[in-house]
Amino acid sequence: MKEKIRVRFAPSPTGYLHIGGVRTALYNYLYARKMGGEFLLRIEDTDRERSTQESLDQILEAMEWLGLEWDGELTYQSQRLDLYRTLAEELVSRGKAYYCDCTKEELDIRKKELESRGVFVGYDGRCRERGLKKGDASHMVIRLKVDNGEDLSYTDLIRGEINFDSKEIDDFILIRSDGFPTYNFAVVVDDHAMGITHVLRGDDHIINTPKQIAIYRALGYETPGFGHFSMILGSDKSRLSKRHGATSVSEYRHNGYLPSALLNYLAKLGWGHGDTELFTKEELIRAFSLEGVNKAPAVFSPEKLLWVNQEHIKMLSYDMIAPYLKPFLEKKGIDPASRSREWFSHALETLRGRVKTLEEMAEKLLYYFFPPEEWAEKDVAKAMKKSSPELVEDYAAALEKVDDFSLQHLEEHMRAYCEERDLNMGSLAQPLRLAVTGSTVSPGIHDVLALLGKNETLARVRAFLSRL
């Protein structure tokens, strides 16, 4: 029977979830869903000084907002400390690891001495054969005995053959003097306990892989497959940071980006699938493969991300967008429950292609809810000809007699009105647009009137004419 694929995302709650972390989580998620496997979430919270509840809450909230749902229960490293210590002590009893009481000062002195002789700088194995026991000193660590000359090479699922020699690795620490595990030891213990079959992560972890392979072998565990994604760079080809426009997931959320757009952009940032640029999450799952992941670093582009967001606003239905738009409407003082689903769906259609973010969409929807309070002189001068006030007033009188304020009927009504008077439709539409929206730029005038409704349209026209 074929082994079920299990992958994991393992953030540390020492800060907010950023672009690089999201892409790692996304690739793991897509691979698991594509292969019918499981996507697990582990919180690596053994850094007591830097881990915070606020960061953890932000990470979990971001994962849920993105729709990267995980399988099973959350795993916390901080709840497994006894397991790490027990396993490390077992390695000591089996001669695979040992206690070390070397102080930092002693290690620094010996390191400088080795450097002066041009020798590989690492732990010199001073305590390897001393046979120290637990409690022999107040400050002790547990170190792994790394077999000198052991081949720790492996075949990376993305990069192919990667060679490592154990001569380049010293007897590294498994358990620190404070009783907490080191990163590499905890990761191996956890990945085995969780049944992880594929460890997919950023290429900054390649250097950790030989140490982890050595730990797997010492514990007698089967080694999973390893795959490392290339890093994401800024436009200047340096490591991605906030100055390149990359920020936390929560900030993208608050700035009006759709989660589907963020996932779409990040999936393509290091993975190729022909010339197709736009994907829904479901389409990404169907198309994703590790073979398509690029080895070369990807360059982050805020402009491209904004374009993808605009395209998702254009292609997604109102029902898909509505839950994410709601907080932006409420922030503007708009009650989403004050209009029907059909009304909002129509309003969204008028703005497709005109807005790039949900923040911008909520801003553009304002004139559907709040009448203009003032009209800029330059707009009045641009839209209003000498005959315009009289024309607008006459058309308002004609609208008084209209019962059907549907889009189609309004189009037919205005066309007939202008043809009867031999008018260019723009000569009526522009001053009317200014009257009801306060601007010379808006979606189609018939859409605007239909969305405002008869009473609101006429009230705005009268208020405008009274101000002229």
Side-chain angles (χ1 to χ4, degrees):
M1 184 175 173
K2 191 175 179 181
E3 183 181 29
K4 188 172 189 176
I5 285 173
R6 300 187 103 198
V7 297
R8 49 73 169 177
F9 176 53
S12 298
T14 55
Y16 299 155
L17 186 57
H18 287 266
I19 289 300
V22 176
R23 192 187 66 169
T24 295
L26 174 61
Y27 283 178
N28 276 276
Y29 174 87
L30 295 176
Y31 186 64
R33 295 291 178 261
K34 171 72 175 288
M35 304 303 291
E38 293 184 350
F39 171 65
L40 308 181
L41 185 61
R42 179 172 74 231
I43 305 301
E44 299 192 338
D45 56 348
T46 55
D47 188 335
R48 292 176 296 174
E49 292 182 3
R50 297 172 58 222
S51 295
T52 67
Q53 186 63 43
E54 182 187 8
S55 293
L56 174 59
D57 292 343
Q58 288 269 3
I59 290 169
L60 297 181
E61 189 179 303
M63 292 288 286
E64 290 172 358
W65 177 74
L66 288 164
L68 298 178
E69 63 276 358
W70 57 90
D71 301 302
E73 297 295 317
L74 274 176
T75 299
Y76 294 86
Q77 283 190 334
S78 59
Q79 297 174 2
R80 305 161 69 91
L81 299 178
D82 289 342
L83 175 61
Y84 306 134
R85 293 166 189 154
T86 299
L87 288 172
E89 288 166 3
E90 282 182 13
L91 288 176
V92 174
S93 67
R94 289 167 44 208
K96 300 283 188 180
Y98 58 92
Y99 287 100
C100 168
D101 65 357
C102 296
T103 66
K104 183 179 183 303
E105 291 73 25
E106 290 171 340
L107 292 171
D108 287 343
I109 291 171
R110 293 189 332 240
K111 181 179 178 182
K112 288 178 181 175
E113 183 185 336
L114 288 170
E115 283 178 337
S116 67
R117 289 162 33 201
V119 178
F120 166 67
V121 178
Y123 180 65
D124 60 5
R126 181 71 56 93
C127 295
R128 204 179 225 246
E129 306 301 335
R130 287 179 64 197
L132 294 172
K133 301 285 191 296
K134 185 177 181 179
D136 281 353
S138 57
H139 294 284
M140 301 181 75
V141 301
I142 296 179
R143 292 181 180 273
L144 183 72
K145 281 185 180 178
V146 179
D147 292 340
N148 197 348
E150 181 183 9
D151 185 11
L152 297 175
S153 303
Y154 75 99
T155 302
D156 196 279
L157 296 169
I158 294 167
R159 298 168 180 278
E161 191 69 23
I162 295 185
N163 298 308
F164 285 106
D165 191 326
S166 63
K167 290 176 183 175
E168 300 170 5
I169 301 174
D170 61 2
D171 289 352
F172 56 90
I173 296 172
L174 302 178
I175 301 291
R176 296 190 291 260
S177 59
D178 61 3
F180 276 69
T182 56
Y183 167 78
N184 283 314
F185 188 54
V187 162
V188 170
V189 171
D190 288 338
D191 283 344
H192 175 75
M194 294 168 72
I196 300 303
T197 60
H198 295 69
V199 176
L200 309 174
R201 55 194 180 183
D203 61 6
D204 52 331
H205 285 288
I206 288 179
I207 195 65
N208 291 320
T209 308
K211 290 185 177 182
Q212 291 173 14
I213 291 173
I215 295 170
Y216 272 104
R217 291 177 182 173
L219 288 168
Y221 295 163
E222 184 178 349
T223 306
F226 291 96
H228 293 88
F229 313 123
S230 61
M231 66 169 50
I232 303 174
L233 304 178
S235 54
D236 58 359
K237 304 300 170 66
S238 65
R239 193 180 184 89
L240 187 65
S241 68
K242 204 163 184 175
R243 65 190 170 87
H244 297 112
T247 183
S248 68
V249 173
S250 22
E251 284 194 53
Y252 283 113
R253 179 180 183 177
H254 295 316
N255 289 336
Y257 285 78
L258 285 164
S260 62
L262 199 54
L263 294 180
N264 183 166
Y265 176 69
L266 290 177
K268 290 290 292 178
L269 197 63
W271 167 78
H273 187 71
D275 296 327
T276 308
E277 290 286 347
L278 300 174
F279 294 84
T280 62
K281 189 173 77 169
E282 291 69 29
E283 289 168 342
L284 286 173
I285 290 170
R286 289 195 294 270
F288 186 78
S289 70
L290 292 180
E291 291 75 23
V293 176
N294 301 326
K295 298 176 186 177
V299 177
F300 179 80
S301 167
E303 295 78 20
K304 182 68 176 289
L305 172 56
L306 191 60
W307 175 80
V308 172
N309 198 59
Q310 182 177 25
E311 292 303 308
H312 273 250
I313 288 174
K314 284 161 65 175
M315 75 184 193
L316 295 182
S317 69
Y318 170 70
D319 290 336
M320 296 284 288
I321 293 175
Y324 306 109
L325 179 61
K326 183 181 177 183
F328 293 94
L329 296 176
E330 293 173 338
K331 192 165 65 174
K332 301 286 186 186
I334 298 173
D335 178 9
S338 65
R339 299 287 193 279
S340 68
R341 174 192 171 279
E342 290 71 28
W343 187 94
F344 268 111
S345 187
H346 182 186
L348 171 62
E349 290 302 322
T350 70
L351 297 178
R352 288 191 192 273
R354 293 174 174 268
V355 297
K356 296 180 179 179
T357 67
L358 298 180
E359 171 72 38
E360 194 179 349
M361 179 180 287
E363 182 68 33
K364 287 278 202 298
L365 284 169
L366 281 175
Y367 53 65
Y368 289 132
F369 289 86
F370 306 109
E373 296 179 353
E374 56 184 28
W375 291 264
E377 286 186 20
K378 63 179 179 62
D379 288 338
V380 173
K382 179 180 178 182
M384 301 297 289
K385 304 297 183 270
K386 188 176 181 181
S387 60
S388 295
E390 185 179 343
L391 176 60
V392 171
E393 187 171 10
D394 187 64
Y395 188 66
L399 287 178
E400 287 269 17
K401 301 170 187 175
V402 174
D403 294 322
D404 183 357
F405 239 65
S406 66
L407 174 62
Q408 182 178 351
H409 189 265
L410 286 171
E411 288 177 341
E412 293 170 355
H413 181 269
M414 185 179 287
R415 187 180 304 108
Y417 179 90
C418 291
E419 285 176 357
E420 189 178 318
R421 291 158 180 77
D422 197 24
L423 292 172
N424 179 295
M425 199 175 292
S427 64
L428 172 59
Q430 270 302 81
L432 192 58
R433 175 179 286 111
L434 178 64
V436 298
T437 69
S439 171
T440 57
V441 180
S442 80
I445 188 60
H446 309 107
D447 287 289
V448 174
L449 300 184
L451 287 162
L452 288 176
K454 180 176 178 177
N455 292 339
E456 181 66 17
T457 294
L458 294 174
R460 291 188 183 194
V461 169
R462 293 187 190 111
F464 173 68
L465 292 175
S466 69
R467 290 281 297 271
L468 286 177

